[in-house]
Amino acid sequence: MAKVKVISAWLDACAGCHMSFLDIDEAIIGLADKIELLPTPITDFKEFTPADVGIIEGAISNEHDEEVAKQIRANCKILMVWGDCAVFGGIVSMRNLFSNEEVLDRYYSTESTTSNSKVPCSEELPPLVKVKPINQVVKVDCYVPGCPPSAKAILYALSELLEGRIPVLPSETMRYD
Ligand code: SF4
């Protein structure tokens, strides 16, 4: 049987959701027989290619994130989002309390360890947008919340997709043991 092709990306994220995926431990061996990872942060191919399942971790914080979300949506049949940042903005959306200028100044100047550092010119940075969850930019088919989602929840969601079902997470997958 042909393997299910998967593409994924992390946008404005900490990578914790993809790390939680790797926490499924030995179950990854069984999954490897059934799925093929195409461009993902783990495989590090750069161009998205058509896939059965697309996965996004992280919120949308700039125009590049918006473009990546649209590229994944255009290349997949089912789009699943992992983690609170992707599902509803999560901790990343705290940035919305501040202006773009305040955020950039804090990041590049105030907190820099290099003296005289300054905010890069606008051509070097993708323009920031108000932080938003993925479903405010593209259609999302299934959600795996949590910060990060437990490995159990991620494995359940992937297993359901492999069985041809859109996952509805049982409550026991939504908390850590
Ligand atoms: S949901 Fe949590 S673990 Fe996932 S990217 Fe956001 S902050 Fe990181």
Side-chain angles (χ1 to χ4, degrees):
M1 197 169 77
K3 290 186 177 184
V4 171
K5 293 180 167 52
V6 176
I7 54 177
S8 77
W10 59 48
L11 302 182
D12 196 345
C14 75
C17 297
H18 276 75
M19 294 304 109
S20 200
F21 164 63
L22 295 177
D23 273 346
I24 67 174
D25 297 329
E26 69 274 10
I28 208 163
I29 296 169
L31 272 185
D33 289 336
K34 298 174 183 164
I35 69 173
E36 179 182 3
L37 295 178
L38 300 173
T40 70
I42 298 166
T43 52
D44 204 28
F45 301 126
K46 299 301 181 196
E47 298 291 328
F48 293 116
T49 48
D52 302 295
V53 177
I55 297 168
I56 297 179
E57 162 190 340
I60 288 174
S61 291
N62 59 48
E63 291 183 5
H64 179 258
D65 294 337
E66 289 182 332
E67 183 56 34
V68 172
K70 288 173 183 171
Q71 283 180 20
I72 290 200
R73 177 73 269 186
N75 276 287
C76 72
K77 297 173 187 162
I78 295 173
L79 179 61
M80 174 162 62
V81 293
W82 283 350
D84 290 351
C85 297
V87 171
F88 62 83
I91 194 168
V92 181
S93 61
M94 291 175 69
R95 204 202 80 198
N96 290 339
L97 297 170
F98 305 94
S99 70
N100 290 345
E101 291 71 27
E102 287 174 308
V103 170
L104 292 172
D105 191 58
R106 175 82 183 188
Y107 189 77
Y108 287 101
S109 303
T110 316
E111 294 291 309
S112 175
T113 55
T114 307
S115 61
N116 300 323
S117 66
K118 57 183 183 354
V119 178
C121 66
S122 56
E123 289 79 34
E124 295 176 299
L125 293 173
L128 297 177
V129 298
K130 183 170 181 274
V131 177
K132 51 200 165 197
I134 306 304
N135 68 1
Q136 289 192 16
V137 173
V138 294
K139 177 176 174 285
V140 172
D141 301 301
C142 51
Y143 299 82
V144 185
C147 184
S150 67
K152 192 167 52 178
I154 288 174
L155 180 59
Y156 179 87
L158 284 170
S159 302
E160 286 290 282
L161 286 178
L162 290 173
E163 292 297 322
R165 296 186 287 266
I166 295 293
V168 178
L169 295 176
S171 59
E172 60 266 25
T173 65
M174 304 288 282
R175 59 178 185 267
Y176 285 90
D177 297 328

